[in-house]
Amino acid sequence: MNLDAIAAKYAPIACKGILLAVGMCGSVIFGVAIGYPAMSPFAAFGAMMAMHITPRHGVIAKVGGALAGCLFLLLAASVSEAIGPYPVLALVFLFGLSWLAALPKSDLAYLGFVAKFAAIAVLLSFFDFTPSLAMGLYFCGGILLGLLLSLAEMAFEQENEQRPLAQLRALLHGDINDPWLSLVIPVTVVVSSLIAKNFSWSNPAWVGLTVIFVANADDSLELKRIVARVAGTIAGAFLAYLLLRSVHLPLQLALVVGLLAFFMPFSLKRYSIFSLLITCIVLVLIDIVMLDNGGDMRLLFWRAIDTVFGCVCVFFANLVLKYLYWRRKRHGKKDAAAGAGNGA
């Protein structure tokens, strides 16, 4: 492969990496510049989310898809806050969003990402913290920044995908994973989060988040994902520990986030490396949020343990899926044999 071919292959990925780094690093630098570094990670999360859910199909689809997805996420978080005093309703809402995230097939990536991020917003709202107006404003600012950067990325994009409305029509017309087998995922999210709530050392939202991103209704690669997620997360937590021991200033941490974000697009097909990068980025951003309270170093080990626990829950859910597939296949053969016997 000559240099031109290599450049043509990796230029779009490098462009996405640079823009993602600018969005996330720039958000933190902006927060530091105006004197609110603890709020800046919420803008960085918004920029990252916007660049991940924005469809790759024209300006109108990008803008409309990004704004619709973000509004859906904010609506989900608002509903979760409103029904927070009624835990049963909140858990039913979380169950529904987690099921919605499990239904779209891989070619309906936009819908899957939007539903996953909305479920995560509900998890955080229900288990972790109470969102404030400042968080929402920073998050929305990050979304707008991510959308602008995504529009700039169009000059280098090579892939294409269905428009959001076309994906929604495909979903409504039945282009989905098996709805009954997909129920295993929301059950796992809710049950694992509730179990983790009883552990004094655990963060239920972190456990549920792990399940949402590792579990897959199409279980062909799931065991590999579990192993890769555990290995990558432990490595990411260890890397974050090393970085946070030597880097303490918000501007330095912003550069670390930018450097790690640059490599994320290169790692999308290597789940263990992607898990390492995203874990380290999230832990560094959380540390920035908690700088006024001494940082997040003391919780790094427990976050890694939570992720391992979430992966164990997904492993058992995977066994349930395999059992259900086996039973379904067995009953299908019996029905076919009975039909053949009646026909004879």
Side-chain angles (χ1 to χ4, degrees), residues 250-281:
L251 285 177
Q252 295 173 338
L253 293 172
L255 294 177
V256 168
V257 168
L259 181 63
L260 294 171
F262 170 76
F263 289 105
M264 281 179 63
F266 292 92
S267 67
L268 291 178
K269 296 182 179 180
R270 296 171 176 83
Y271 199 65
S272 58
I273 299 176
F274 180 80
S275 296
L276 182 155
L277 293 172
I278 191 65
T279 299
C280 192
I281 287 172

Side-chain angles (χ1 to χ4, degrees), residues 162-177:
Q162 295 184 68
R163 290 181 173 88
L165 287 178
Q167 292 191 31
L168 182 60
R169 283 195 293 268
L171 182 75
L172 296 176
H173 284 83
D175 186 16
I176 56 176
N177 294 313

Side-chain angles (χ1 to χ4, degrees), residues 160-220:
N160 209 337
E161 62 183 23
Q162 295 184 68
R163 290 181 173 88
L165 287 178
Q167 292 191 31
L168 182 60
R169 283 195 293 268
L171 182 75
L172 296 176
H173 284 83
D175 186 16
I176 56 176
N177 294 313
D178 189 296
W180 293 107
L181 297 179
S182 297
L183 281 172
V184 174
I185 293 176
V187 169
T188 308
V189 171
V190 173
V191 171
S192 63
S193 301
L194 289 177
I195 292 174
K197 191 178 181 181
N198 294 308
F199 300 148
S200 60
W201 45 264
S202 184
N203 184 325
W206 194 272
V207 173
L209 184 152
T210 298
V211 174
I212 287 173
F213 276 103
V214 176
N216 194 330
D218 177 11
D219 70 339
S220 58

Side-chain angles (χ1 to χ4, degrees), residues 223-233 271-273 275-276:
L223 290 177
K224 293 181 181 179
R225 281 177 179 265
I226 294 170
V227 174
R229 172 77 180 190
V230 172
T233 300
Y271 199 65
S272 58
I273 299 176
S275 296
L276 182 155

